[in-house]
Amino acid sequence: IPPATLAHVEPAPEPVVDTPVHETIAAPVLPPVDPVLLEILRSEVAQYLQTIRHAINRVDAELRVDDGLLRAVHTLHGAIAMVDIPLLTQLLSPLESLLKRLRAAGHPLSAEGVNLLGKSADAVDYIMGQFDAEQPQLPELDALIRRLCELRDAQPEPQVAALASTPARRHDPL
């Protein structure tokens, strides 16, 4: 249709659509967890927290990152991630990475790091207790997480040993 013939035609008014008002539904503070799985998780978490606190209690300042401590934090992180407790995963991820980097470099965890490790253990313990609360409340952990990230980022990433890749030689019989 030539545009000149449409000059006197007005466009149709935009249809009025009633947009339904949706109520904001707050996401659950903690994920729903099967009661049997929660009891298993609690048992494991208590075991790992005991290992972490034992390591903290045996030092006054710096802490050598041994296999037992690293394994406890790593396995705790994995158990929490399987249940999907985002706040604890955000806390434990940089903590585990920090300990891995220190272990690989042969450096101890500083006195500040030991303090943060203790606060992290306390936070895990507190949050696990919130599964029993009628109105669960999660603590503000942003500053703790941020400081763990800063300590982690101040350490070099572990270097993975490069495997010499030499092509396999085929020996063909003559």
Side-chain angles (χ1 to χ4, degrees), residues 65 70 94-107 149-158:
V65 180
L70 184 55
L95 177 62
E96 180 185 357
S97 294
L98 169 63
L99 295 179
K100 283 181 177 178
R101 290 179 185 194
L102 290 170
R103 176 85 170 135
H107 297 158
C149 288
E150 290 169 358
L151 289 178
R152 175 204 59 203
D153 294 344
Q155 298 299 318
E157 289 207 38

Side-chain angles (χ1 to χ4, degrees), residues 57-145:
N57 290 334
R58 70 174 195 245
V59 299
D60 290 329
E62 295 181 337
L63 173 63
R64 187 175 72 77
V65 180
D66 62 14
D67 288 338
L69 176 61
L70 184 55
R71 188 178 311 108
V73 172
H74 171 76
T75 313
L76 175 63
H77 181 207
I80 294 294
M82 291 295 290
V83 179
D84 191 24
I85 306 171
L87 183 59
L88 289 181
T89 303
Q90 293 167 12
L91 173 68
L92 294 171
S93 182
L95 177 62
E96 180 185 357
S97 294
L98 169 63
L99 295 179
K100 283 181 177 178
R101 290 179 185 194
L102 290 170
R103 176 85 170 135
H107 297 158
L109 183 61
S110 68
E112 178 191 11
V114 172
N115 182 37
L116 296 176
L117 177 61
K119 287 181 178 181
S120 298
D122 292 343
V124 170
D125 202 15
Y126 176 81
I127 292 170
M128 290 303 298
Q130 292 301 296
F131 278 98
D132 295 327
E134 192 171 306
Q135 297 289 325
Q137 300 293 316
L138 296 182
E140 174 59 49
L141 298 178
D142 287 346
L144 176 58
I145 293 169

